[in-house]
Amino acid sequence: MLKRIGSLLGGSQDRSIKKLSSLVDEVDALEPDFEKLPDDLLYAKTTEFQSRYKNGEDLDSLLPEAFATVRETAKRMLGQRHYRVQIMGGIVLHQGKIAEMKTGEGKTLVSTLAVYLNALTGDGVHLVTVNDYLARRDCQWMGPIYNALGLTVGCLQNEGSFLFGVASDGEAELEAAHRSDVYSADVVYGTNSEFGFDYLRDNMALEKDSMVQKKISYAIVDEVDNILVDEARTPLIISGPSDQPDQTYYKFADIARSLDLEMDYVPDEKARSVALTDAGITHIETSLGISNLYAPENYRLTHYVENALKAEVFYLRDQQYVVQDGKATIVDEFTGRLMTGRRFGEGLHQAIEAKEGLQIQQETITLATITLQNYFRLYDKLSGMTGTAITESEEFWKIYGLEVLTIPTNKPLMREDLSDTIYLNEKEKYTAVADVIADLHKTRRPVLVGTVSVERSEQLGKLLKERGVEHQVLNAKFHEQEAEIVAQAGRLGGVTVATNMAGRGTDIILGGSQEKRDPGEWQNEHDEVIKLGGLYIIGTELHESRRIDNQLRGRAGRQGDPGTSVFYVALDDELIRRFGGDRVRGLLNWAGVEEGEAIDNRMVRKAFENAQVKVEAHNFEIRKHLVEYDDVINTQRDVIYEQRFKVLDQTDVHTNIKMMIDKSVADIVDEYLPDLRPETWDLEGLLVSIQNLFGATPEWANYEAMNLMSQDEIIDQLNQFATELYGNREDDNGSEVTRDIERVISLRTVDSHWIEHLTVMDMMRRGIGLEAVAQRDPLVAYRMEAHRMYQELQENIQHSIVRNMYHVSVVGQKIDQQMDSPLAQHQRNSSGEAPIVANQPAGDSPSVRTVTRTQKKIGRNESCPCGSGKKYKNCHWPEAV
């Protein structure tokens, strides 16, 4: 069956390649004519294409000429000509698919074809890279093509934003520019996090002019598997300060260290969790001086216990994180790079800081968040390119609707991929690896060694030093440095030890980079390396994903070069230890394998393959699980952000608030006058709620008069009262000021309630798994509860906006616009001021009144003190938040 499916897929790929070939023929046929065009006529093609597009011609019909234009421009500006297979890749990108192209096939140049064609629409194209260095490099490298053709090019960096230009000496340069100007460019290069965070910040803006992103139309994602698969489990989060750090973390770090592995807890390496034994629970209860760790009043303590044990058992220094400058910095599990500024969530990072005796950083609350899956699904069209995607084709299709197409290599692949070499333990494995490298080094054949972590790189470096092997250890701490070092890995006699993903996106040329070198000297070294068999790739451990291993293998054998790849693995490697090592070890004990001897056993090799397949499936389920849950809040986020944009755009804000007022009146009447019988009416509760909502009650509102009125008459009279009261306030403040009040109150209220909603949703999600104990699907339960909470959110937003509109006061003509919104505190508007103030601000601005609580804090589930009989959270809690 599997062979049948494989043959069908293979047939589909073959048919697709044939169709692409016919399109490439059309592009090739135009080349002689385009070669004859003078520069001015060639570069003027852009204006012609844009005019034809505006007149109704679609991009598909423009493709052959547009691609021929880019190919000819690349020849003149860069001295590079697109191969046929690169033209194929460009077509695939334009079609909104993923082009799998081997390392060294020139994907950066491939992207220019689809970028140019789609930029003709005027909607802008985003080229997404894995790091700032590649974004800047590719922008400067490919910028001359776009610049010659009259397109503007921008580059987003963590430290700023830039527009591409050409200096007086003809050299490409990046000029600092405002972020909104960069997004107005035809082509924008940047990382996934820069694009994603700008999207979130735009939806926190207090003014429309503060938004920087324009239409999210088309994106090409470079190293698409890294961004849309490997990083997909980490959501983008903008957070703000919460409460002060809890010193309890230090206490639990001490407790975790005091627990005994054999007696007090049992670690589950596969699930990365720790189960306490009865002895362990007793130990903790004694240390804390409590009788029951799992009593309801101690529910927060269990969270500290879990994080402290995770930090102690599974999060190890120089593996999952490093300590630098008094801070714990995460090491990316896939790339080995340091993730500066990123923190583990849910208190885990604080537990690590306590474990290391570092200063605990302040905890935060989520202000805005989105997963990479849902951010990139916002684009009208999405495509990607990478050297390894076919193994994840199912995930790309199910989550993103992206088809993967493997593009043939320009020249036949000459690399020799050897079978894995297996040893009993890590010590034997690394000894063998060091010996092999030493032997290869004697022949001067270049070697690139891939490791899975910073710690392993340094460990191997020590072994090589003992053997007198000159080498370069790269821990992937700086993207530019790592790219430069990896680019030289093909030099004669070079030995480079790096994390598997270091320098991803960097070409390794046999003989090293040709820049600043004598051509004859480089050619001699290049030829010598080829005679030795090319670059020798050694992997020191199988990754959880075959795709990452294939990335490492792909560093050798570019453009028909010779090369070799082999992986060295051990039975106590994490992969096999977590996924089925005991059975294999028992088999080897039975077979009598001697210490230091490489294992050549078909069943053992199969066990490693199965382990990778298992963990790939496991990780896919985690990512699928993540997006299923995020899809629930994503729908809500879309509505909230649309509401915010309408307010920023001044779209029907006044009309919507008038509708909210009418709805609030109707809701109150329905609550206190439930039917047509006056004897069931709660007129006292009705008047208290009206007083709380509007800050006043109508003169006619007395029990005797209202008992003679119908429900509809009461609603009509209350609506008339609300309209008159609103009109009086508008007369006092002026229409222009009132419109500003409406805008800022609407934004502040939506923001405050949305933040609270995110917090509550996050807490619910953490605990929803317990539904499975009751034989209920947690996801279904989450969806149902999320829907109920969202309805409550919208009701609370409406009620709070209405109440705030009747309770704000103008203090002079300039006050702090941030008011009490945490979102506003995070992102101050450039103007920073507006002529209004709320009656419950946070902060000590001299132009606002500060409210001091004199009453006991009321619990959300207690009865509301207004006497309505409703729970506080469903009555007056929203405006007190």
Side-chain angles (χ1 to χ4, degrees), residues 335-338 454 474-479 481-482 499 501-503:
T335 68
R337 299 186 179 110
L338 298 185
V454 173
L474 174 62
N475 290 334
K477 294 180 180 178
F478 304 102
H479 299 314
Q481 179 194 54
E482 74 176 56
T499 54
M501 303 282 282

Side-chain angles (χ1 to χ4, degrees), residues 120-265:
L120 297 173
T121 65
D123 291 330
V125 177
H126 295 171
L127 200 296
V128 188
T129 65
V130 295
N131 59 54
D132 273 351
Y133 166 72
L134 291 177
R136 185 173 67 252
R137 184 202 72 177
D138 293 354
C139 177
Q140 291 178 304
W141 188 7
M142 299 295 115
I145 297 176
Y146 306 123
N147 187 69
L149 291 169
L151 298 181
T152 52
V153 188
C155 179
L156 302 174
Q157 298 281 277
N158 182 256
E159 72 275 7
S161 49
F162 305 87
L163 286 172
F164 175 86
V166 179
S168 57
D169 60 1
E171 290 293 319
E173 64 177 7
L174 294 178
E175 300 173 350
H178 192 276
R179 220 164 178 85
S180 62
D181 293 331
V182 172
Y183 273 109
S184 295
D186 298 303
V187 184
V188 184
Y189 285 83
T191 64
N192 54 298
S193 58
E194 290 301 314
F195 286 116
F197 281 128
D198 280 341
Y199 169 77
L200 292 177
R201 282 189 285 264
D202 274 358
N203 286 287
M204 295 163 59
L206 300 175
E207 297 282 354
K208 187 178 178 182
D209 291 343
S210 300
M211 302 177 72
V212 296
Q213 277 191 349
K214 311 306 176 188
K215 184 177 180 182
I216 299 178
S217 179
Y218 174 51
I220 297 176
V221 183
D222 192 12
E223 308 296 356
V224 65
D225 55 326
N226 183 207
I227 293 175
L228 296 190
V229 176
D230 296 336
E231 296 192 20
R233 284 165 58 178
T234 306
L236 300 175
I237 298 174
I238 293 179
S239 58
S242 181
D243 300 330
Q244 290 300 311
D246 193 331
Q247 299 301 308
T248 310
Y249 283 111
Y250 292 117
K251 172 69 174 175
F252 278 90
D254 291 337
I255 292 175
R257 275 191 290 269
S258 70
L259 293 174
D260 183 87
L261 172 61
E262 299 293 331
M263 297 179 57
D264 296 331
Y265 64 87

Side-chain angles (χ1 to χ4, degrees), residues 233 266-275 306 310 313-315 348 544 574-575 577-579 615 618-619 622:
R233 284 165 58 178
V266 179
D268 182 344
E269 290 192 81
K270 184 175 180 180
R272 294 274 174 118
S273 63
V274 177
E306 290 169 1
K310 279 185 180 180
V313 178
F314 296 117
Y315 289 80
L348 177 58
E544 289 185 352
E574 184 178 4
L575 176 71
R577 191 175 66 242
R578 289 175 61 192
F579 293 88
V615 77
H618 175 69
N619 289 336
I622 291 176

Side-chain angles (χ1 to χ4, degrees), residues 239-247 249 343-344 349-350 353 359-365:
S239 58
S242 181
D243 300 330
Q244 290 300 311
D246 193 331
Q247 299 301 308
Y249 283 111
R343 291 175 64 82
F344 294 115
H349 211 101
Q350 285 83 358
E353 289 167 334
Q359 181 179 353
I360 295 177
Q361 302 297 308
Q362 189 175 30
E363 294 193 62
T364 59
I365 57 172

